[in-house]
Amino acid sequence: MVPSSSHLIFLYFFILISATATIATDHIVGANKGWNPGINYTLWANNQTFYVGDLISFRYQKSQYNVFEVNQTGYDNCTTEGAVGNWSKGKDFIPLNKAKRYYFICGNGQCFNGMKVSVLVHPLPSPPSSSVSANKTSTDSAAPVALRKGLVRFRALVLAFASIWFGSGWI
């Protein structure tokens, strides 16, 4: 079967969208070592750059460990009192939606064995400036966030549509 011109255009568009860099980053805590006692998570976190919209992922034995998001006091003292979130599935994907410092600990006592990590999430970087953009108003500062969210949603829509189209034998 010879593809029609509309199929070729869509295929080109699909490849173009798929080839774009992934905007959000999934930071897997501890990389290949995962979420386990005796690992220097401060060193791991210091080698990462976190931005609003990224994910932090914890991978661990769900029967042994868990994850709590706590405040700085909870982090410093390894306590879950006043925790703002907790996870225990073993593969936990936590969105980093605000520019701030996040604190995570293991709530079953392993925090004292090093199972705690603090990450600083930065605002999204501004696009490269030019002499024209230097004269824009401050209301344009929300544009990168909206653009990023729009691109992520658009890309997901295109990928979903393409998987249905190509996967069902329409062409």
Side-chain angles (χ1 to χ4, degrees):
M1 174 177 162
V2 177
S4 69
S5 61
S6 63
H7 290 137
L8 289 175
I9 291 170
F10 179 79
L11 184 59
Y12 173 76
F13 185 69
F14 174 73
I15 291 169
L16 181 66
I17 294 297
S18 298
T20 60
T22 302
I23 296 174
T25 301
D26 181 11
H27 301 273
I28 301 171
V29 175
N32 61 345
K33 295 178 183 176
W35 184 235
N36 290 294
I39 297 171
N40 186 341
Y41 291 107
T42 301
L43 180 62
W44 172 83
N46 288 341
N47 287 310
Q48 308 289 314
T49 304
F50 300 88
Y51 292 104
V52 170
D54 285 352
L55 298 170
I56 187 166
S57 298
F58 293 84
R59 312 282 170 88
Y60 55 91
Q61 288 288 108
K62 69 179 181 177
S63 61
Q64 293 182 330
Y65 308 121
N66 55 30
V67 178
F68 281 80
E69 182 182 348
V70 296
N71 59 24
Q72 184 175 0
T73 302
Y75 179 83
D76 292 340
N77 298 319
C78 288
T79 62
T80 59
E81 189 173 317
V84 295
N86 62 28
W87 299 265
S88 58
K89 291 183 180 176
K91 282 189 177 179
D92 304 316
F93 301 89
I94 303 167
L96 303 171
N97 294 326
K98 293 182 181 176
K100 68 174 193 172
R101 182 164 292 278
Y102 288 80
Y103 301 93
F104 300 99
I105 66 169
C106 182
N108 67 356
Q110 293 298 326
C111 176
F112 293 107
N113 291 325
M115 288 183 71
K116 63 183 195 174
V117 64
S118 168
V119 299
L120 179 61
V121 177
H122 302 281
L124 289 173
S126 299
S129 62
S130 67
S131 60
V132 174
S133 65
N135 296 327
K136 296 211 179 221
T137 64
S138 63
T139 58
D140 291 338
S141 62
V145 175
L147 178 62
R148 180 175 172 158
K149 287 181 180 178
L151 285 174
V152 168
R153 289 181 185 135
F154 179 72
R155 184 173 180 207
L157 180 65
V158 168
L159 292 174
F161 180 73
S163 66
I164 291 168
W165 189 357
F166 291 119
S168 64
W170 287 1
I171 62 170

